[in-house]
Amino acid sequence: KGPDSPARARRSRSARRSRSPRSRSARRAAKSGSSASRERRAKERKAKKEEKHDKKAKKEKKEKKDAKRAGEEKKDAAKPKKDKDGLSVEEWNEIRKGMGLKPLKS
């Protein structure tokens, strides 16, 4: 085997065609798959596409919910927290400071 010779001898086109007794249309149909398998693949693609869409919608909904929650937490952090009796931690710390006690953790 030299560098110019192919590794395996190729058969002529007519020899390759004569090997299979099926018609050209039958070979083409076999190559592309039967209509039932084509329909099945189409259904699978459609189901996969719908599943992907559902996942995307679910993800967007979750992100929106998380963003809303983060906004609420940010809003809550901006104003002082109130206890049961209506005093904030800062107000309690002022009272405790006047009494000579340690301040509360905020």
Side-chain angles (χ1 to χ4, degrees):
K1 295 180 183 178
D4 296 330
S5 66
R8 190 174 107 199
R10 298 188 86 192
R11 296 173 68 175
S12 68
R13 184 178 294 171
S14 61
R16 286 194 305 260
R17 285 188 181 151
S18 66
R19 178 176 54 175
S20 174
R22 295 183 294 181
S23 67
R24 181 180 292 176
S25 60
R27 283 194 306 274
R28 193 177 299 133
K31 192 173 187 180
S32 66
S34 67
S35 62
S37 64
R38 250 183 277 134
E39 290 172 5
R40 188 182 74 245
R41 285 194 306 265
K43 285 181 183 178
E44 288 172 355
R45 280 194 305 271
K46 187 176 181 181
K48 192 173 184 180
K49 195 174 188 179
E50 288 174 356
E51 183 180 327
K52 192 174 184 181
H53 178 72
D54 292 344
K55 283 183 180 179
K56 188 175 182 181
K58 190 175 181 181
K59 185 178 178 183
E60 288 173 356
K61 187 176 178 182
K62 184 177 184 242
E63 288 173 353
K64 188 175 179 182
K65 189 176 180 181
D66 289 344
K68 185 178 178 183
R69 188 178 294 138
E72 289 173 358
E73 288 173 1
K74 204 180 267 187
K75 197 186 304 180
D76 290 343
K79 62 182 177 182
K81 294 182 180 177
K82 299 277 183 175
D83 282 335
K84 292 179 192 174
D85 55 10
L87 295 175
S88 68
V89 175
E90 289 83 19
E91 293 168 337
W92 270 114
N93 285 341
E94 289 299 318
I95 294 169
R96 291 173 69 88
K97 189 176 183 183
M99 294 171 60
L101 298 171
K102 287 183 180 180
L104 297 170
K105 293 181 181 177
S106 55

